[in-house]
């Protein structure tokens, strides 16, 4: 793996998440006035080059009022704004933390800077972690003794060894703020009808309140350790019976658990402001889940948004972006958050496969264009085997560590993610961006400081010349084969 080469622009404005606003309350600085005296810089990552989020060219706009049908164009309109971005990031799992702990100090610092530093890295602002064990843990565990319905034995001692220290270091590297949400893969076995944390099963009715209390105990314990919990999902992949930790919730089960137990319990404990995420599973069934949960006002009032994954491709088909759009159209007052995605079946021989990053780029562009406000990758770090994973479900991550040598290996995923997370900051609003050729994928945003970030992705093997069109002007630009670029107007 070639040494990481990153050429970055000056430090961007780091906004506070509480300053997010609805479209009706835009900051004056977010209004794009004109191209006059604006600097236009292109940052590019391209296959078969050394360019990795590298400053590649500067663009100059000239009068270009009416394109011809033969002109290849990307059209941008900063005056039309849509959803507000919450953040972009990845999950700090047991596997990530255990791998991180095996690295020498120098590699740990390189890793933290690469992900969380805005100037010299890609500026992650969002994170996810697991409640109890998941497949990306070295073994199954819970935080209580068997049969402890009162949760008197509740302890997060397991997480204090690796995971919490890593989260704290990530928070510090991110400037003291990292919006973390937590997801359970399974309640303790004794709370379930199959008496097993693995292989699905369902939460027994008599333990619904105990399980709701469990989330509260987790949040309190983490926050006592100095790790704020921004949000939580009800259940990871609630329709998947897996050979690892899993638990089945039908749409009606989840709706009733939210409105009768989890929602009221969070409110009573002063945690009503935590962002409660329903579904947390694939795009294929997300509309059905959203309809059942959100059409019930007693459940909907507790729900911040709908989370989704990208593994609907297990059927052999493509990612179903239209389903994201349908949920956004039907429930525009609720947020959409991509909560997990990774490429499965890890092989060290594929570590430099460019298709890894291109899948991320395609998903990021389409998910944001269809109304998503936040995008969270799965494991931020795995070892040279794609683990650790206690059931052999080895997968890819943007960064892998060779624990034998202590060296980090950066996949194309890292750079494709960085073209969004580095330039599209919390509080940014999506704006109009579209191409008149399907060979170019694009989305765009205006940040709270007025900087416009336009992402253009070329998944083809051809170099494509195009005109970037804005306010009756056009700039000549080139999209390299198998590349992604972020065009920054400031």
């Amino acid at each position: 793996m070639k040494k990481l080469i990153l050429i970055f622009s000056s430090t961007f404005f780091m906004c506070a998440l509480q300053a997010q606003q609805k479209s009706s309350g835009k900051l004056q600085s977010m209004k794009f006035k004109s191209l006059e005296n604006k600097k236009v810089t292109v940052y590019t990552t391209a296959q078969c080059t050394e360019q990795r989020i590298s400053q590649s060219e500067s663009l100059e706009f000239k009068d270009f009022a009416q394109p011809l049908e033969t002109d290849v164009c990307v059209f941008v309109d900063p005056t039309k704004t849509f959803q507000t971005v919450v953040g972009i990031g990845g999950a700090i799992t047991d596997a990530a933390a255990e791998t991180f702990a095996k690295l020498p100090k120098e590699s740990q610092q390189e890793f933290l800077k690469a992900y969380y530093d805005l100037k010299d890295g890609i500026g992650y602002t969002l994170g996810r972690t697991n409640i109890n064990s998941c497949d990306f843990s070295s073994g199954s565990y819970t935080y209580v003794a068997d049969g402890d319905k009162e949760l008197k034995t509740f302890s997060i001692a397991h997480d204090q060894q690796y995971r919490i220290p890593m989260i704290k270091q990530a928070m510090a590297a991110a400037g003291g703020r990292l919006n973390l949400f937590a997801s359970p893969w399974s309640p303790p076995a004794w709370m379930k009808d199959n008496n097993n944390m693995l292989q699905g099963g369902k939460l027994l009715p008599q333990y619904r309140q105990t399980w709701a209390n469990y989330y509260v105990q987790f949040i309190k314990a983490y926050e006592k350790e100095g790790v704020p919990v921004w949000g939580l999902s009800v259940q990871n992949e609630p329709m998947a019976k897996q050979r690892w930790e899993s638990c089945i919730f039908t749409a009606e089960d989840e709706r009733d658990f939210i409105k009768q137990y989890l929602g009221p319990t969070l409110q009573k404990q002063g945690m009503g402001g935590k962002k409660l995420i329903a579904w947390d599973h694939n795009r294929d069934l997300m509309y059905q889940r959203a309809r059942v949960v959100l059409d019930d006002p007693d459940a909907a009032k507790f729900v911040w948004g709908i989370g989704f994954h990208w593994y609907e491709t297990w059927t052999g088909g493509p990612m179903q972006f239209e389903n994201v759009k349908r949920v956004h159209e039907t429930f525009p007052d609720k947020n959409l958050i991509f909560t997990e995605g990774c490429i499965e079946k890890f092989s060290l021989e594929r570590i430099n496969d460019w298709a890894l990053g291109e899948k991320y780029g395609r998903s990021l562009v389409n998910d944001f264009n269809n109304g998503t406000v936040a995008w969270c990758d799965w494991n931020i770090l795995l070892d040279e085997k794609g683990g650790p994973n206690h059931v052999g479900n080895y997968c890819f991550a943007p960064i892998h560590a060779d624990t034998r040598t202590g060296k980090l290996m950066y996949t194309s995923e890292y750079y494709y993610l960085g073209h969004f997370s580095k330039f599209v900051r919390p509080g940014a609003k999506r704006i109009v961006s579209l191409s008149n050729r399907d060979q170019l994928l694009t989305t765009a945003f205006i940040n709270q400081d007025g900087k416009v970030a336009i992402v253009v992705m070329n998944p083809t093997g051809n170099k494509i010349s195009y005109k970037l069109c804005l306010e009756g002007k056009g700039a000549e630009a080139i999209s390299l084969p198998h590349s992604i670029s972020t065009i920054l107007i400031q």
Side-chain angles (χ1 to χ4, degrees):
M1 182 74 180
K2 293 182 179 179
K3 185 178 179 181
L4 174 66
I5 301 175
L6 296 175
I7 304 176
F8 296 117
S9 66
S10 59
T11 305
F12 300 116
F13 176 76
M14 185 65 176
C15 64
L17 197 61
Q18 64 263 31
Q20 292 170 26
Q21 302 178 8
K22 301 295 183 182
S23 295
S24 59
K26 292 182 289 184
L27 292 177
Q28 182 69 24
S29 62
M30 291 185 73
K31 294 180 180 178
F32 189 84
K33 296 177 181 179
S34 75
L35 283 168
E36 187 177 355
N37 299 320
K38 291 289 196 304
K39 181 181 178 183
V40 186
T41 309
V42 183
Y43 298 85
T44 296
T45 294
Q47 187 182 36
C48 301
T49 74
E50 295 295 323
Q51 296 184 69
R52 298 293 183 268
I53 318 183
S54 304
Q55 184 173 330
S56 54
E57 59 180 323
S58 296
L59 302 184
E60 181 180 352
F61 281 92
K62 299 179 180 179
D63 290 341
F64 186 67
Q66 178 56 62
L68 301 174
E69 288 185 320
T70 53
D71 292 321
V72 180
C73 299
V74 170
F75 300 97
V76 179
D77 183 357
T79 69
K80 305 297 188 296
T81 60
F82 303 97
Q83 78 271 21
T84 301
V85 174
V86 170
I88 298 168
I92 300 178
T93 57
D94 289 319
E98 290 168 25
T99 302
F100 181 79
K102 294 176 182 178
L103 293 173
K105 190 68 174 178
E106 182 179 353
S107 294
Q108 289 183 344
Q109 293 306 307
E110 176 189 338
F111 172 86
L112 292 168
K113 180 178 289 188
Y115 267 125
Y116 298 104
D117 188 274
L118 184 57
K119 182 177 182 293
D120 297 321
I122 61 174
Y124 269 7
T125 56
L126 183 68
R128 185 190 190 207
T129 199
N130 46 293
I131 300 174
N132 290 333
S133 57
C134 65
D135 50 330
F136 281 93
S137 303
S138 292
S140 293
Y141 65 88
T142 71
Y143 303 122
V144 295
D146 287 353
D148 180 12
K149 187 176 180 179
E150 302 300 321
L151 308 183
K152 293 179 179 179
T153 59
F154 193 96
S155 170
I156 57 168
H158 173 279
D159 299 0
Q160 290 170 328
Q161 184 176 9
Y162 298 119
R163 187 146 45 105
I164 288 175
M166 184 183 182
I167 292 172
K168 287 183 176 181
Q169 290 188 65
M171 288 171 56
R177 188 179 186 91
L178 183 67
N179 289 311
L180 184 74
F181 68 100
S183 305
W185 270 242
S186 175
W190 53 271
M191 292 189 191
K192 298 171 65 181
D193 61 4
N194 67 343
N195 196 33
N196 191 346
M197 290 185 72
L198 318 184
Q199 299 292 336
K202 298 187 72 172
L203 178 67
L204 290 166
Q206 63 266 35
Y207 292 121
R208 288 170 183 162
Q209 186 58 57
T210 301
W211 185 227
N213 295 340
Y214 204 98
Y215 298 77
V216 170
Q217 291 289 85
F218 176 87
I219 293 170
K220 286 182 176 179
Y222 261 60
E223 295 193 338
K224 186 177 180 180
E225 288 290 314
V227 179
V229 177
W230 169 82
L232 66 157
S233 66
V234 180
Q235 169 64 45
N236 176 74
E237 298 186 348
M239 290 307 298
K241 178 183 177 181
Q242 303 283 24
R243 67 181 189 272
W244 53 83
E245 289 82 349
S246 46
C247 185
I248 303 299
F249 279 77
T250 66
E252 292 76 15
D253 290 337
E254 185 171 19
R255 175 198 65 197
D256 294 345
F257 181 63
I258 289 171
K259 73 177 181 180
Q260 296 172 8
Y261 297 95
L262 185 55
T265 300
L266 290 169
Q267 274 206 337
K268 289 176 184 176
Q269 293 293 325
M271 298 181 182
K274 303 298 182 186
K275 314 305 184 192
L276 186 60
I277 300 163
W279 187 225
D280 200 4
H281 203 167
N282 297 330
R283 297 185 186 97
D284 51 4
L285 295 177
M286 67 182 293
Y287 182 85
Q288 183 264 346
R289 181 63 53 124
R291 183 191 62 79
V292 172
V293 173
L294 299 180
D295 272 353
D296 186 321
D298 291 331
K301 68 182 180 182
F302 296 114
V303 177
W304 175 82
I306 300 296
F308 62 96
H309 302 179
W310 72 16
Y311 308 112
E312 69 271 13
T313 54
W314 71 269
T315 62
M319 291 185 279
Q320 297 178 349
F321 300 116
E322 282 294 307
N323 292 357
V324 180
K325 183 178 181 180
R326 294 293 171 264
V327 175
H328 179 59
E329 291 173 336
T330 309
F331 305 100
D333 60 327
K334 296 299 181 182
N335 298 283
L336 295 179
I337 175 172
F338 183 91
T339 48
E340 183 186 318
C342 74
I343 295 175
E344 300 161 287
K345 299 180 181 178
F346 177 79
S347 168
L348 193 58
E349 288 70 34
R350 288 189 64 202
I351 199 75
N352 295 317
D353 188 345
W354 203 256
L356 301 176
E358 288 191 331
K359 182 171 183 176
Y360 275 75
R362 188 176 297 276
S363 182
L364 282 153
V365 168
N366 284 281
D367 288 333
F368 278 118
N369 281 346
N370 286 306
T372 298
V373 303
W375 211 94
C376 193
D377 184 33
W378 190 206
N379 301 279
I380 59 171
L381 177 67
L382 292 173
D383 64 19
E384 70 278 2
K385 298 178 181 178
N389 186 293
H390 72 95
V391 290
N393 182 34
Y394 301 118
C395 297
F396 284 91
I399 300 177
H400 284 264
D402 188 333
T403 58
R404 300 163 298 184
T405 65
K407 300 297 183 182
L408 299 179
M409 298 176 282
Y410 294 77
T411 73
S412 56
E413 297 172 8
Y414 170 82
Y415 301 103
Y416 275 73
L417 280 158
H419 274 275
F420 290 82
S421 62
K422 183 172 181 63
F423 302 101
V424 181
R425 305 303 296 161
K429 288 185 179 294
R430 184 173 65 86
I431 59 176
V432 171
S433 182
L434 65 155
S435 172
N436 65 345
R437 298 292 189 273
D438 62 5
Q439 292 93 337
L440 295 178
L441 309 180
T442 182
T443 189
F445 305 82
I446 184 167
N447 286 287
Q448 286 189 320
D449 59 0
K451 293 173 184 173
V452 172
I454 305 158
V455 178
V456 177
M457 175 180 160
N458 177 3
T460 79
N462 302 315
K463 182 169 74 172
I464 301 175
S465 298
Y466 68 97
K467 287 185 174 66
L468 181 65
C469 303
L470 193 156
E471 292 192 321
K473 296 184 181 296
E476 300 283 350
I478 294 175
S479 183
L480 296 176
H482 295 291
S483 71
I484 185 168
S485 294
T486 303
I487 302 159
L488 192 68
I489 302 176
Q490 57 183 324

